[in-house]
């Protein structure tokens, strides 16, 4: 369930502090430490799963619950006119932390287009 060397498992266990926006038995939502917009939340399942690539049907209920609460949380945090959800996955997806997380990014202004040319 908990992976010892995983930073988000430690946040879920309260061993590393975070600014929480929502918590229940299976989900934690907290502020990203390096926000890229006025609203930047991370939603995680408390049970460790490395990425979307490792998910199976057993993860569908918690993933569904996470997506279904994203709109309410975004609005509560100040993204009242839209937001973006991002799940970076694996090397190609530029995932940095290998505990599945959904970014919720928004704010009063429009975000840049989704994939910028490098
Ligand atoms: P990703 O590249 O999708 O794996 O995103 C990882 C995200 O985790 C980045 O946006 C980081 O700023 C964020 N992050 C890393 N460590 C922490 C932490 N201790 N508390 C909050 N956010 C973190
Ligand atoms: Zn973990």
């Amino acid at each position: 369930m908990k992976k010892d060397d995983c930073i988000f498992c430690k946040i879920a266990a309260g061993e590393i502090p975070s600014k929480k926006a929502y918590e229940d038995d299976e989900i934690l939502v907290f502020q990203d430490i390096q926000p890229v917009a006025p609203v930047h939340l991370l939603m995680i399942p408390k049970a460790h799963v490395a990425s979307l690539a490792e998910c199976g049907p057993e993860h569908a209920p918690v993933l569904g619950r996470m997506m279904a609460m994203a709109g309410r949380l975004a609005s509560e945090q100040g993204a009242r006119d839209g937001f973006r959800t991002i799940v970076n996955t694996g090397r190609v997806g530029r995932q940095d932390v290998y505990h599945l997380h959904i970014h919720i990014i928004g704010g009063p202004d429009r975000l840049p287009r989704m994939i910028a040319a490098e």
Side-chain angles (χ1 to χ4, degrees), residues 7-8 11 16-18 30-36 40 42 86-89 93-99 101 103:
I7 185 169
F8 286 178
I11 286 176
I16 291 177
S18 66
F30 54 98
Q31 308 287 341
D32 195 293
I33 205 165
Q34 284 189 295
V36 299
H40 191 165
L42 298 174
I86 300 174
V87 186
N88 293 323
T89 302
R94 302 276 185 118
Q95 183 176 1
D96 291 322
V97 177
Y98 278 78
H99 180 131
H101 50 282
H103 295 257

Side-chain angles (χ1 to χ4, degrees), residues 1-3 5-10 45-50 98-100:
M1 181 127 173
K2 175 171 172 284
K3 207 161 168 272
D5 59 350
C6 172
I7 185 169
F8 286 178
C9 279
K10 288 183 177 154
K46 287 186 172 176
H48 182 86
V49 57
Y98 278 78
H99 180 131
L100 172 67

Side-chain angles (χ1 to χ4, degrees), residues 51-106:
S51 82
L52 209 50
E54 276 75 32
C55 284
E58 68 275 25
H59 298 100
V62 72
L63 289 171
R65 288 193 60 227
M66 289 163 75
M67 291 302 271
M69 69 174 66
R72 179 173 60 79
L73 280 164
S75 177
E76 279 174 12
Q77 296 285 319
R80 294 191 181 82
D81 197 22
F83 59 93
R84 186 174 288 158
T85 47
I86 300 174
V87 186
N88 293 323
T89 302
R91 181 184 66 84
V92 170
R94 302 276 185 118
Q95 183 176 1
D96 291 322
V97 177
Y98 278 78
H99 180 131
L100 172 67
H101 50 282
I102 302 176
H103 295 257
I104 299 175
I105 297 170

